[in-house]
Amino acid sequence: MSDLGLTISTASGERPRRRRKVDAFPYLLLAPAALMMIIVNLVPIVQGFRMSLLKLNQYTLSQFMDAPFIGLRNYRGVLFDPTNPVHSGMLGALRNTALYSLLVTVCAVAIGLGVALLLNRDFPGKALARTLLMLPWVVPTYVVGTLWGFMWQRDEGIINHVLVDVLHLMDHKPFWLIGSNTFFAIVIPTVWRAWPVLMLIFLAALQAVPEELYEAARLDGANAWQRFRNITLPSLMPVIVIQVMFQIIDNIYSYNIVAMMFGKGAGYPGEWGDLLMPLLTRQSFSYWRFGEGAAVSFVMMAVMLVFVALWMRTFRRSMTSEA
Amino acid sequence: MARRCAAGVVLGLAAASAGAVELTMWVMPVTTNAQHDIPDLLAPWLAQHPDVHVRVTVLDWESGWNKITAAAASRRGPDLLELGTTWMPAIAAMGGLEPLTPAQLAQVDNGAPYYPELWKTTQVFGRNGVYGLPWYADVRAAFYRTDVFRQAGVDPAQAFSSWDAFHAALRKINGQSVAGKRVAALAYAGKNDWNVVHNLAPWIWNAGGDMLSADARRSALSTPQALRAIDFYSSLAVEGLVPSNALEKDSDILEGAWVGGDYGVIFSGPWLMRRIFESPPGSVVRSNFDVAPYPAGPHGHATFFGGSNLAIFKGSRHKAEAWELVKYLGGKAPQVQLALVSSMMPARIDAANDPAWTSRHPAYAKLTAIAADGRAYPPIPAWGPLETVYTKHLGQLAELTAGIGDKYGAPAMKALIADTVTEADKVLEEAN
């Protein structure tokens, strides 16, 4: 026990005092990190919340935090006023973001897990294969958006060339950057970049599963599917649950790929490509509606906190290896 | 920050001497080598002002806006700065700029040497005060392939005389094969481009419409004249005179493709001249192009007039010296010098007619002539957000005209414009 232990009182009144020793040393170790968190996170969050209650726009920006206080009017405007410029297109962006997050998460986790299972065996060149498969993840998202923007070009892009001229999967070259295909034009590069790191994490988790479990299962006559379902999947579940949550959060906050692929004009990719973060950036910063932008940010943060709390509560047991 | 430091250049005396003044100046990358060209531009003035240093920081158009607005809000910024013509009213309305005094205005003949439309952009619509001097101009014109027109039997003088004549000319040149290359009639970009509004505005003006109502309080895009212009402009893509794959590209790519010989006509600005002359000496376009005004509509052939102005920052501690430098750069010789290295047009009428500019190639003289019909947007503080609204919605014309499904038609276009006007009016409402 440390010498820094403190004694604190936990009882009151006439009842006999029960004393509990609290070790202060861990708190001292945590203090610098906590202080930094307060400075870089909590202070801006509080300031952001204050901004969301102000009429802070192009005409009041020079007053900044002294801009007129308008209570919850920004929240009402962005959530319920269909004529509010920040609200415009929000339902479409909400729909796209939900579909995008779901699709990217499912595909990236499925591909990452599948490839991890394939790589979790010995074969010549395994290390090289693993390194090469990680390459998409090394590419920054800004570069991914720019590169895929060229690759999706209808006539000059390599994707239509492969689909139509090489593989003959289609009889004509479709537009990917115009119309409803825009949605796939942002989903596919995101999946392309996301799955390798998931593969690496799943591979590390797979290598921690005791081989004895598989040997015992084989002796008991379990086939490959039964071994996967009863040993591999439960063993990976803590990792999968956490990674799915991270993926959903990342994808809901996704910005870079859309911004780079469609950011040369107003940054509006169209009805099927607009996501919440590009919408928020465009319609609060480009429109100079900072108070309303702060309000939307807080709504998103609240929704995300609720989601994370529900997720953690639902999968609490799955997140422990004892489950 | 590192980027700023890397872009900073200190000019003048090498070491600070007693009483020396250091001016800070923010500029945009007006030339391809602004780090070198701006110091050259300032050298004669610095020679006459040995006690002044100028620290030049070259911003970029992407981040420049955020940096300038942050400076205007905090009152901490440079002594003088370059501002895009559509940015100036917003920064002036924020109180970020020092208005010119009557004495200073008298020194520049109350703006008489400058194009009146550009002089207008140094002010704020409906208010008194002038906040700077025009520095250089962006003027748009039709750049066309003379060889393609000749082969198709189209007379350029006739082709740009009316919308109908232009339409007929495009139909004739579309698909012409020159030097083994099939040429599409016209190129313009779709939603992923910063020129969406600038490309459309001249058509709207020439149809008798406008971007805003006369009092600048409401959007005017739903007037019959504006709708007619938007319909005509869009119908060129629907008809295939603008190839649909152009609609997924941006202006920069299309200009490169035009120089490469892919298109017959493109609407662009003076910077395209530099690109043409940077193409290989034997390139077809280099020796077979000319410049024409926008096709005349029912109400004339106005063109988009933009560019940049120079202003003194409100928080400057050296306003007198800053004004001397602004006044110098607003003069004829420096404007000609800048035009020669930047390929942007001078903002002064005498500089734009100077032989050093006009004699470089006949097209430069034509750009100067076209500038007489230049027209700028109303200098309202809300133009920035309004332009984003317009770009966002009008860029969606590409979704209608690219030939996906069967979307294009009067109802779809009217619905799109109605959405544009609703959102634009809301933005303007806040400004009033």
Side-chain angles (χ1 to χ4, degrees):
Chain A
M1 183 61 72
S2 158
D3 292 339
L4 292 165
L6 302 173
T7 302
I8 60 168
S9 169
T10 56
S12 60
E14 297 300 314
R15 288 189 299 180
R17 288 190 170 189
R18 289 165 54 199
R19 290 172 186 277
R20 183 157 63 90
K21 270 230 160 182
V22 175
D23 186 1
F25 188 60
Y27 295 98
L28 284 177
L29 290 177
L30 285 173
L35 190 66
M36 283 306 290
M37 290 282 281
I38 290 170
I39 293 170
V40 302
N41 283 336
L42 197 62
V43 171
I45 286 173
V46 170
Q47 192 183 35
F49 181 67
R50 166 89 182 148
M51 280 171 69
S52 75
L53 305 176
L54 303 178
K55 188 180 172 66
L56 189 60
N57 58 26
Q58 174 178 4
Y59 310 100
T60 57
L61 183 60
S62 52
Q63 300 170 46
F64 199 43
M65 299 309 278
D66 294 325
F69 181 83
I70 53 169
L72 297 175
R73 207 186 303 166
N74 286 332
Y75 288 88
R76 281 201 298 274
V78 297
L79 291 175
F80 307 116
D81 180 2
T83 65
N84 186 293
V86 180
H87 181 91
S88 167
M90 194 176 284
L91 288 179
L94 204 59
R95 172 201 62 195
N96 294 344
T97 306
L99 289 173
Y100 168 85
S101 302
L102 191 70
L103 206 53
V104 170
T105 303
V106 168
C107 293
V109 169
I111 296 171
L113 183 57
V115 178
L117 289 169
L118 291 174
L119 285 179
N120 191 33
R121 62 191 69 196
D122 287 328
F123 60 89
K126 178 181 168 181
L128 179 66
R130 198 171 49 198
T131 306
L132 289 176
L133 288 171
M134 285 301 293
L135 283 179
W137 185 67
V138 176
V139 183
T141 46
Y142 277 101
V143 180
V144 172
T146 307
L147 286 178
W148 281 78
F150 286 112
M151 287 159 64
W152 287 125
Q153 298 270 327
R154 191 186 70 169
D155 291 337
E156 297 87 356
I158 192 166
I159 291 167
N160 273 350
H161 174 66
V162 171
L163 290 176
V164 179
D165 301 333
V166 178
L167 299 176
H168 305 291
L169 293 176
M170 296 173 171
D171 56 1
H172 72 285
K173 292 183 174 177
F175 274 115
W176 294 99
L177 300 174
I178 298 176
S180 55
N181 281 349
T182 310
F183 180 70
F184 299 107
I186 58 172
V187 165
I188 292 169
T190 318
V191 173
W192 178 79
R193 187 179 183 276
W195 73 263
V197 72
L198 290 168
M199 178 266 292
L200 199 68
I201 292 167
F202 292 144
L203 189 58
L206 279 171
Q207 286 167 356
V209 181
E211 187 57 33
E212 296 80 15
L213 292 178
Y214 292 106
E215 285 168 10
R218 280 192 202 95
L219 286 175
D220 288 342
N223 61 27
W225 168 246
Q226 286 169 324
R227 289 197 300 275
F228 173 75
R229 195 181 153 199
N230 296 309
I231 300 173
T232 309
L233 208 53
S235 302
L236 290 184
M237 199 46 87
V239 178
I240 292 175
V241 164
I242 290 289
Q243 290 307 317
V244 167
M245 187 180 76
F246 284 168
Q247 276 296 307
I248 290 174
I249 294 171
D250 277 356
N251 293 321
I252 287 175
Y253 286 146
S254 187
Y255 173 79
N256 291 353
I257 288 178
V258 173
M260 290 313 290
M261 216 179 274
F262 298 100
K264 290 178 181 167
Y268 181 53
E271 185 187 351
W272 285 97
D274 209 17
L275 301 180
L276 277 174
M277 288 313 291
L279 174 133
L280 172 62
T281 307
R282 179 183 62 245
Q283 291 178 203
S284 57
F285 286 95
S286 298
Y287 289 10
W288 287 48
R289 302 173 86 94
F290 304 110
E292 287 162 331
V296 180
S297 302
F298 264 84
V299 171
M300 284 183 71
M301 195 176 81
V303 169
M304 204 59 83
L305 281 174
V306 171
F307 162 74
V308 171
L310 287 175
W311 188 268
M312 300 288 270
R313 189 181 170 84
T314 306
F315 294 103
R316 189 173 44 197
R317 284 171 59 81
S318 304
M319 285 187 211
T320 58
S321 54
E322 292 82 15
Chain B
M1 190 64 191
R3 191 173 185 173
R4 270 188 60 202
C5 292
V9 180
V10 183
L11 309 166
L13 294 178
S17 55
V21 170
E22 181 175 289
L23 292 178
T24 52
M25 178 183 186
W26 288 359
V27 296
M28 298 298 163
V30 55
T31 74
T32 51
N33 189 9
Q35 300 282 52
H36 177 262
D37 296 329
I38 300 298
D40 278 355
L41 192 66
L42 301 185
W45 186 81
L46 286 168
Q48 293 168 1
H49 299 79
D51 55 342
V52 180
H53 317 252
V54 182
R55 179 181 290 275
V56 178
T57 300
V58 183
L59 308 180
D60 63 75
W61 286 104
E62 301 289 327
S63 64
W65 175 242
N66 289 338
K67 200 167 171 52
I68 291 168
T69 50
S74 66
R75 298 285 192 270
R76 284 187 213 139
D79 292 293
L80 67 156
L81 73 166
E82 172 189 347
L83 285 163
T85 51
T86 55
W87 292 9
M88 194 146 183
I91 305 299
M94 283 177 73
L97 303 179
E98 183 71 18
L100 301 187
T101 63
Q104 288 169 335
L105 286 169
Q107 291 172 38
V108 291
D109 294 335
N110 289 301
Y114 302 95
Y115 283 99
E117 281 291 305
L118 294 180
W119 182 251
K120 204 171 73 179
T121 67
T122 61
Q123 298 152 58
V124 179
F125 185 89
R127 300 188 198 175
N128 292 323
V130 175
Y131 293 90
L133 299 182
W135 193 22
Y136 60 81
D138 159 7
V139 63
R140 304 295 169 94
F143 289 74
Y144 66 94
R145 292 270 302 275
T146 50
D147 53 342
V148 177
F149 273 55
R150 198 179 312 117
Q151 182 173 304
V154 175
D155 174 13
Q158 178 65 24
F160 296 96
S161 64
S162 70
W163 285 6
D164 288 342
F166 182 62
H167 183 216
L170 291 182
R171 293 178 74 166
K172 280 189 181 175
I173 64 172
N174 198 31
Q176 289 285 326
S177 188
V178 178
K181 195 166 200 173
R182 191 175 181 277
V183 177
L186 175 66
Y188 61 64
K191 63 186 171 186
N192 194 18
D193 187 55
W194 63 280
N195 275 312
V196 170
V197 183
H198 308 332
N199 283 343
L200 248 174
W203 300 94
I204 293 172
W205 290 327
N206 294 335
D210 211 336
M211 310 305 286
L212 293 174
S213 60
D215 60 2
R217 286 172 174 264
R218 300 186 69 80
S219 169
L221 288 191
S222 57
T223 61
Q225 295 90 339
L227 286 175
R228 185 184 168 200
I230 296 168
D231 183 39
F232 177 79
Y233 182 78
S234 306
S235 70
L236 300 175
V238 175
E239 200 179 328
L241 300 172
V242 177
S244 54
N245 65 0
L247 301 173
E248 62 182 355
K249 298 182 170 66
D250 60 49
S251 291
D252 193 45
I253 293 176
L254 291 178
E255 285 167 2
W258 181 84
V259 173
D262 289 355
Y263 302 100
V265 183
I266 192 167
F267 292 94
S268 185
W271 59 87
L272 189 57
M273 300 291 289
R274 172 177 293 277
R275 208 155 171 176
I276 293 166
F277 293 120
E278 282 174 354
S279 63
S283 81
V284 176
V285 173
R286 190 170 169 149
S287 49
N288 290 284
F289 84 96
D290 206 347
V291 171
Y294 264 75
H299 287 78
H301 45 79
T303 189
F304 167 74
F305 220 175
S308 277
N309 301 331
L310 286 169
I312 301 165
F313 196 68
K314 188 81 173 176
S316 168
R317 289 185 293 131
H318 307 293
K319 292 190 175 80
E321 292 84 357
W323 163 247
E324 288 302 318
L325 183 51
V326 167
K327 188 174 67 173
Y328 170 77
L329 292 171
K332 183 184 174 188
Q335 292 224 345
V336 172
Q337 187 184 343
L338 180 64
L340 296 180
V341 292
S342 70
S343 282
M344 295 299 278
M345 216 184 96
R348 284 178 69 107
I349 298 168
D350 53 1
N353 285 286
D354 190 279
W357 165 260
T358 55
S359 64
R360 297 169 81 196
H361 185 278
Y364 285 103
K366 289 189 179 176
L367 283 172
T368 294
I370 289 166
D373 290 310
R375 192 165 164 181
Y377 302 128
I380 57 168
W383 185 265
L386 185 73
E387 190 174 312
T388 306
V389 173
Y390 279 174
T391 305
K392 172 189 157 189
H393 287 282
L394 297 175
Q396 295 305 300
L397 284 168
E399 303 276 320
L400 299 180
T401 58
I404 302 170
D406 197 17
K407 281 182 170 179
Y408 186 75
M413 195 188 73
K414 278 189 178 172
L416 177 69
I417 300 303
D419 287 347
T420 315
V421 169
T422 302
E423 203 167 314
D425 283 351
K426 194 76 180 174
V427 166
L428 290 166
E429 191 181 293
E430 194 132 299
N432 297 315

